Every structure is written in C-alpha cells, then in structure tokens.
C-alpha cells in the first residue's frame, strides 16, 4: 500500500520529526546535566574525604583555585596539601547549585558550608566551578571561592552585637617591648583598664618582659606591632629571622632600615613574609597568643604588594588587622581586603599640630565628637625618664615627653568623664577577633 504524500501527510511527518528531535535533545541534555552533576559531586566529595587520587583524576592539568584573599593554587599545590594533611575538612556541604553548559565547557555556581578539622565552627562561601569536556569526561578546570560571614555587609558595631547607634571605642597602646619604661606604663594602664588592648614589638629588647606579663595575665588583649623598621638614632634592633635569610630587610649596619621608604625600596616580599611569620611564631612560642596584627610605622600598608603579604599571613592565622575607613593610608588598601574582614570606621592619634598644653583636651574633644561605629585611638605610653630620653634622643615627636603626656591624658579625670558622658562602649581587639 502506497502512502499518500499530500500536504496533510507532509505536516504530520514534519511534526513527528520535530518531536523525535526534541526528545533526542532532551535525552542528551539530561545525560549531560547528570554528567555535570556527577563531576561536581565527585570533586566536592574528594575535597571532603581528602581523596588525593580522586583529585588527580578529576582536575584538569591547568586547574587553578583562586581564594578570597587572592591566593592561587595549582593542581599540584592542592593535591599536595590534601595528601600531606594540610587541608582537612570534617564538614563540607553544597547547595543552591546552578548549572550552565556551553558546548565543551560548563560553569556551576553554588553555596557551601564547611568546617576545617582544627576549627570550632563552620564557615560559608560562594563558589564558581568551571569544567571542560575531555573526551567523554568532565574535568575541573577552575574553582573560585569567596568566603563570607552572614551579616558581613552590616556595620561593624552591628556585627559585634550592638545597635547601629552605638559608639564603640578601642584604646590601644603601641610599642610594648621597646623599653622597660614603655612596658611598665602600658602594663599599669592595662591593669587599671585605662586602655583596652596593646600591641607588642617582638624584635625589641624588652619583649621577654612582655611575654612574662602575657603568661601572668592571660586575659590581657595583646596584639603584635609587626616590626620591619628601626627609627631611633642610637637604639636599634633587627630581624627575628636569621639576617642571612632576610638580607633585603637590613641596612649596612645589620639593623632594620630607619625609614619606611628605605624598607619599601629594598625589601623582597618573600623575606618580608618570612620575617613577619617569624615574629608571630616567636610570640606564640613564648605564650603570647595575639589578638590582632598591625605594623610599626604603618610600614606594611605602604604598597599593595607589602599589604598583600600582610593580609595573606593575617588570614592564615585568622587574626584581624588594624585598618580604618577615615585614613588615607588605610583607604588605599581596603579594596584588597575580603568582604568579611572587620574594618573599624575611624582611627585617631595626636599629630605634631597638637600643642603639649592641649593634649588631654585633644582626647576629650575627640570623644565628644565620636560618631556611631567602631573607632580606634592608639597611644604610646611611657614615662619621661632617663631610659626613654636616651632611646628617643633628638626625636621630640613620639619622644619621652610626648609619651608621658599620653599616660597623663589616658588617666585624666576629664578624659574618663568624657567616655562616660558620651556613652562610649569600650571594646578590645579580642572582641573583633571573634568575628573571624
């Protein structure tokens, strides 16, 4: 029997072909989606289970993992970290996945909750997973992760549990360990709660005294004033790391350079990283667990490259770093920080334009004009004695008399009264560290 080939039969035949084609395409799309899902799940399972052989199979040879802080890991880096136990998760879950296929490439975005084996609490991140088709298999070509904290976009005082209208203030004393006079003035201020935190210069001669204080006062909020410069005329210090390993950090006399400009000009980044790690590890080995990090003379904020090293190390140690939104030197590096890095709103310290007679008035007026948010005031406390005078010879700025005025201002009834009258809430860096 012959089929008729009139217009009606041709339409029916075309419809059958379209339906068949769509059905075939649907099967292909479904199969492809299933393959992508399997590759996605296999990759995250290998991370969760620390399965380095599986990662070797799943990763493309040109694989890169870009982290929040800008760290980039290759395939060999990641496999080695997993194999050597440097990357261990006890929890890794993914959800909110979205799959998009582009021929022989595909992109998966999603949300993940994870917890490291040595961490008390999990963290969240957004990820973008790029896959490429290799034969019949999907290989993971790139992974970009952005860690975030719920509420990270809120004002810092809100993240700390206070109302948006709250005025929070950190009173931090810099330069502990530079002299015995600096230490005893700062210890007294900590004990009397005239300040809320302090930062320590590990390479300086009186560091062992600070370490002993830290052991005896485990509640003390002590950070590290990472030190890469030595500015005094006749009182010098050098690196914790062997000078043979960090030669770019020392001048002809074997000590740190006196100026930030010379440091920036000569320092090699790998040697900077080695030295700041050495300072952190020295502190920890002597019983001082730092609450935060900053940099003496703001040296590590003076170039994006130096700050990148600083930020990388701070993230690894899970320590907040000094910063503020009102000062130019900090504003220049804020874009390099992660979205969840806690950054105070303002920071203040008296400059050369403040007359000696108006020192306490400077602080009183500063407190009266504080805005809602988190502010840091950093001071330098020491006594105007023979030791401090000898150290700061020919250097009136931040000299012996300057530091004595700081002691008197912090303890003055007028300053303490201004804190109370303006409903200032005093906090320390340990409070901020809890956000990390």
């Amino acid at each position: 029997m012959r089929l008729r080939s009139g217009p009606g039969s041709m339409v029916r035949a075309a419809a059958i072909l379209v339906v068949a084609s769509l059905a075939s395409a649907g099967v292909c799309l479904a199969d492809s989606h299933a393959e992508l899902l399997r590759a996605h799940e296999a990759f995250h399972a290998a991370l969760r289970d620390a399965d380095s052989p599986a990662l070797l199979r799943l990763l493309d040879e040109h694989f890169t993992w870009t982290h929040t802080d800008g760290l980039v890991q290759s395939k060999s880096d990641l496999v080695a970290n997993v194999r050597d136990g440097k990357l261990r998760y006890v929890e890794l879950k993914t959800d909110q996945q979205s799959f998009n296929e582009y021929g022989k490439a595909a992109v998966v975005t999603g949300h993940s909750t994870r917890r490291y084996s040595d961490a008390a609490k999990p963290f969240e991140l957004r990820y973008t997973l790029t896959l490429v088709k290799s034969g019949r298999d999907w290989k993971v070509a790139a992974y970009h992760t952005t860690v975030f904290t719920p509420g990270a976009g809120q004002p810092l005082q809100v993240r700390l549990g206070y109302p948006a209208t709250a005025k929070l203030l950190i009173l931090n004393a810099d330069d502990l360990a530079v002299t015995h006079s600096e230490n005893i003035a700062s210890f007294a201020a900590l004990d009397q709660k005239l300040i809320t935190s302090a930062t320590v210069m590990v390479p300086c001669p009186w560091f062992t005294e600070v370490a002993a204080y830290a052991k005896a006062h485990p509640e003390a909020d002590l950070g590290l004033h990472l030190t890469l410069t030595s500015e005094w005329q006749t009182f010098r210090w050098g690196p914790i790391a062997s000078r043979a390993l960090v030669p770019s950090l020392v001048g002809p006399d074997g000590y740190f350079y006196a100026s930030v400009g010379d440091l920036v000009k000569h320092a090699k980044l790998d040697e900077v990283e080695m030295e700041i790690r050495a300072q952190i590890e020295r502190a920890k080995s002597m019983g001082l667990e730092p609450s935060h990090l900053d940099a003496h003379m703001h040296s590590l904020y003076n170039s994006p490259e130096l700050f990148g090293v600083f930020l990388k190390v701070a993230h690894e140690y899970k320590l907040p770093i000094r910063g503020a939104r009102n000062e130019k030197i900090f504003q220049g590096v804020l874009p390099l920080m992660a979205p969840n890095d806690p950054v105070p709103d303002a920071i203040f310290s008296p400059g050369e334009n403040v007359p000696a007679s108006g020192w306490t008035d400077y602080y009183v007026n500063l407190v009266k004009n504080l805005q809602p948010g988190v502010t840091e005031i950093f001071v330098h406390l020491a006594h105007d004695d023979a030791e401090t005078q000898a150290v700061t010879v020919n250097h009136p700025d931040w000299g012996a008399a300057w530091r004595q005025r700081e002691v008197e201002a912090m303890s003055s009834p007028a300053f303490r009264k201004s804190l109370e009258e303006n409903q200032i809430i005093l906090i320390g860096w340990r409070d901020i560290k809890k956000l990390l």
Side-chain angles (χ1 to χ4, degrees):
M1 178 177 163
R2 297 180 62 184
L3 293 176
R4 296 175 61 185
S5 58
S9 62
M10 293 179 65
V11 169
R12 287 193 296 273
I16 291 169
L17 288 173
V18 168
V19 170
S21 176
L22 287 173
S24 175
V27 170
C28 292
L29 287 172
D31 288 346
S32 178
H33 184 83
E35 291 172 5
L36 279 175
L37 180 61
R38 282 194 292 270
H40 168 273
E41 294 300 324
F43 170 69
H44 286 102
L47 283 180
R48 182 194 62 229
D49 300 336
D51 189 344
S52 55
L55 287 172
L56 280 171
R57 295 193 304 272
L58 292 164
L59 301 183
D60 182 75
E61 291 305 312
H62 302 290
F63 168 83
T64 56
W65 182 348
T66 307
H67 296 259
T68 296
D69 59 2
L71 175 68
V72 177
Q73 289 182 301
S74 65
K75 177 178 180 177
S76 59
D77 292 335
L78 176 58
V79 171
N81 283 347
V82 169
R83 184 182 59 240
D84 299 341
K86 295 180 180 179
L87 180 64
R88 282 287 185 273
Y89 296 108
V90 293
E91 178 183 350
L92 194 160
K93 298 182 291 185
T94 62
D95 55 25
Q96 303 175 33
Q97 293 95 350
S98 174
F99 293 79
N100 292 283
E101 186 176 348
Y102 308 94
K104 292 188 175 182
V107 175
V108 184
T109 59
H111 165 269
S112 180
T113 302
R114 308 177 182 200
R115 182 162 65 88
Y116 293 120
S117 59
D118 60 350
K121 58 183 181 180
F123 62 96
E124 297 180 65
L125 56 79
R126 295 284 181 186
Y127 64 87
T128 301
L129 188 68
T130 303
L131 301 102
V132 293
K133 201 69 175 287
S134 177
R136 300 180 61 181
D137 300 321
W138 286 103
K139 297 281 188 177
V140 179
Y143 196 42
H144 177 79
T145 53
T146 303
V147 177
F148 70 94
T149 301
Q154 296 177 324
L156 184 52
Q157 71 271 27
V158 175
R159 291 178 63 189
L160 290 167
Y162 295 91
T165 55
K167 300 176 182 179
L168 276 56
L169 179 62
I170 301 167
L171 292 172
N172 189 87
D174 284 356
D175 290 6
L176 270 70
V178 70
T179 63
H180 174 62
S181 181
E182 195 88 28
N183 286 353
I184 58 174
S186 301
F187 295 162
L190 284 166
D191 293 343
Q192 298 167 33
K193 302 190 185 310
L194 301 179
I195 57 174
T196 58
S197 63
T199 42
V200 184
M201 299 173 70
V202 175
C204 291
W206 284 89
F207 172 68
T208 52
E209 184 177 51
V210 180
Y213 177 85
K215 287 183 180 179
H217 299 80
E219 76 287 353
D221 189 331
L222 299 174
L224 299 185
H225 204 45
L226 296 174
T227 305
L228 296 169
T229 51
S230 179
E231 73 275 30
W232 305 115
Q233 184 174 321
T234 58
F235 186 72
R236 311 296 306 288
W237 50 77
I240 294 298
S242 168
R243 283 169 169 77
L245 296 177
V246 290
S248 71
L249 305 186
V250 297
D253 61 0
Y255 298 104
F256 284 138
Y257 290 103
S259 73
V260 173
D262 281 336
L263 170 70
V264 174
K265 179 180 177 181
H266 294 97
K268 294 182 179 179
L269 297 181
D270 60 334
E271 295 178 20
V272 169
E273 181 173 347
M274 183 181 296
E275 175 58 22
I276 62 179
R277 288 183 184 277
Q279 292 184 21
I280 295 170
E281 289 300 325
R282 170 66 61 84
K284 290 169 69 69
S285 71
M286 295 186 69
L288 194 163
E289 288 293 334
S291 61
H292 70 291
L293 302 173
D294 58 39
H296 183 51
M297 299 172 67
H298 293 156
S299 61
L300 293 171
Y301 302 86
N302 272 267
S303 78
E305 293 78 16
L306 284 174
F307 186 77
V309 171
F310 183 23
L311 192 61
K312 171 189 173 185
V313 174
H315 283 164
E316 288 187 21
Y317 282 93
K318 297 182 173 59
L319 292 171
I321 62 175
R322 171 178 283 164
R325 302 185 188 281
N326 69 321
E327 278 291 330
K328 185 176 180 180
I329 194 166
F330 299 122
Q331 291 168 351
V333 297
L334 287 179
L336 303 177
M337 300 181 76
N340 63 313
D341 283 331
V343 181
D345 299 282
I347 190 168
F348 297 101
S349 186
E352 301 169 22
N353 60 327
V354 178
S357 61
W359 216 259
T360 298
D361 290 341
Y362 166 83
Y363 286 116
V364 169
N365 291 328
L366 187 57
V367 168
K368 286 181 179 179
N369 291 287
L370 282 187
Q371 299 299 306
V374 179
T375 301
E376 179 180 2
I377 292 176
F378 66 98
V379 297
H380 301 79
L381 307 178
H383 298 298
D384 188 0
D385 54 20
E387 181 192 24
T388 310
Q389 291 168 15
V391 167
T392 62
V393 64
N394 297 328
H395 204 308
D397 298 333
W398 292 277
W402 179 301
R403 292 169 192 254
Q404 181 69 54
R405 291 196 295 272
E406 299 270 67
V407 172
E408 294 166 357
M410 288 297 101
S411 59
S412 71
F415 178 66
R416 310 317 298 185
K417 184 179 180 181
S418 69
L419 294 172
E420 183 179 348
E421 289 180 342
N422 291 279
Q423 300 180 322
I424 305 302
I425 301 169
L426 296 179
I427 65 167
W429 277 101
R430 276 190 176 175
D431 298 293
I432 294 178
K433 185 178 183 293
K434 293 174 183 177
L435 296 176
L436 301 181

